[in-house]
Amino acid sequence: MLLIRRLPLMANSAATTALSWRCSPPVSFISTPTELSLHPKLPYLSLCSTSHSQTPLEDFSDSIPQQSTKRGPITPGLYLVATPIGNLEDITLRALRVLKSANVILSEDTRHSGKLLQHYSIKTPLLSYHKFNESQREQTVLKRLKQGEIVALISDAGTPGISDPGMELAKLCVDESIPVVPIPGPSAFVAALSASGLATDEFSFVGFLPKHAGSRKERLMLSANEMKTQIFYVPPHKLCQFLEETSSLFGTSRRCVIAREITKIHEEFWRGTLGEAKEAFSTHQPKGEITLLVEGKPICMVEPPSEDQLENHLGELISNGHNLSTAVKLVAEGTSVRRKTIYSLALRKFGKLGAEDDSN
């Protein structure tokens, strides 16, 4: 909801025209495809008044009463700033303020992030920081932080450090007693989980699986036995391989959700079983980033065997030559019934015969 200031009526027509956007109907968000988008399929989202003239970011931010926002000073430290995963409207006002105030912005891809900064008229210099150079950059960044600079870290999309660069730098800053400040915002796996329809009370975020087949199978075997919802990031070209492996280890009847292009124009949530997904995506490869969720292993409520069933099982074992003690032990190992209970039943039903067999 847009908050509008009540301004005194101005006689000057030029001033009235300049401020007309505050007095016109609510601002509308219009999506128009353009090359300035963060993603080839992401619309360029401009703030427009009824006259369709773009509103500068400063004017839009200025329309929010200052007294309603408890804004503290931005102090030196490392700021982990979440950025949109597809839709530019998902940036927070706090994130924009930090990015504008920072001395430098560490970016996974400076060309990619430059489009975001350009859209919001942010002039803060960018410095590349990705998985191939983060170990080389760490000491340089640490030195700047110790000198009292404000350093913002962003990834291509989402929250830094979550399947993206940032974890090692955050650990280093914590070890050096340098403030690490999260600026929360978009996260693909949280968005997918919230709309998945699967259990959200407990879940495990796995992220990207290892490339090595053995390590990948080991990780999937752990997930297959978890009773919590399992969340994976899956590249589109590896979806068929993932469904093949999970169908084998999790079972084809396990429910899953394939969330694709979250917050973008072609956002899609596919729901079904792993077996159905394997069949559905065997002939075509979807486009865009995929967050794949698999329901936890069902809790099997096995009813304890009845007394008649226990008696029959004991009788079969004894008739096959096992003595009473061995028969009781074998039955107890195959059920959840206490061994003492089974032994009492065996004595009642087969006491005389069992005693004779045990004496032999």
Side-chain angles (χ1 to χ4, degrees), residues 324-345:
L324 188 73
S325 299
T326 304
V328 168
K329 179 182 178 182
L330 292 173
V331 172
E333 288 176 350
T335 70
S336 58
V337 181
R338 294 174 59 191
R339 184 170 177 174
K340 184 177 180 180
T341 302
I342 299 172
Y343 191 75
S344 297
L345 173 65

Side-chain angles (χ1 to χ4, degrees), residues 8 58 184 268 310:
E58 292 79 5
E268 176 186 30
L310 290 173

Side-chain angles (χ1 to χ4, degrees), residues 183-202:
I183 307 298
S187 175
F189 88 83
V190 174
L193 177 64
S194 66
S196 67
L198 300 179
T200 60
D201 52 347
E202 284 190 290

Side-chain angles (χ1 to χ4, degrees), residues 5-49:
R5 287 180 177 175
R6 295 186 177 275
L7 300 173
L9 185 63
M10 298 183 181
N12 187 311
S13 60
T16 304
T17 301
L19 294 172
S20 62
W21 71 276
R22 286 193 173 97
C23 306
S24 60
V27 172
S28 60
F29 292 90
I30 297 179
S31 301
T32 307
T34 178
E35 292 300 318
L36 291 178
S37 62
L38 287 178
H39 186 276
K41 295 186 182 219
L42 173 66
Y44 175 79
L45 303 169
S46 59
L47 299 174
C48 300
S49 67

Side-chain angles (χ1 to χ4, degrees), residues 282-303:
S282 62
T283 56
H284 75 282
Q285 177 183 303
K287 297 180 180 179
E289 296 299 323
I290 293 172
T291 303
L292 203 151
L293 306 92
V294 184
E295 73 172 339
K297 184 178 181 180
I299 301 175
C300 297
M301 302 299 291
V302 180
E303 293 186 6

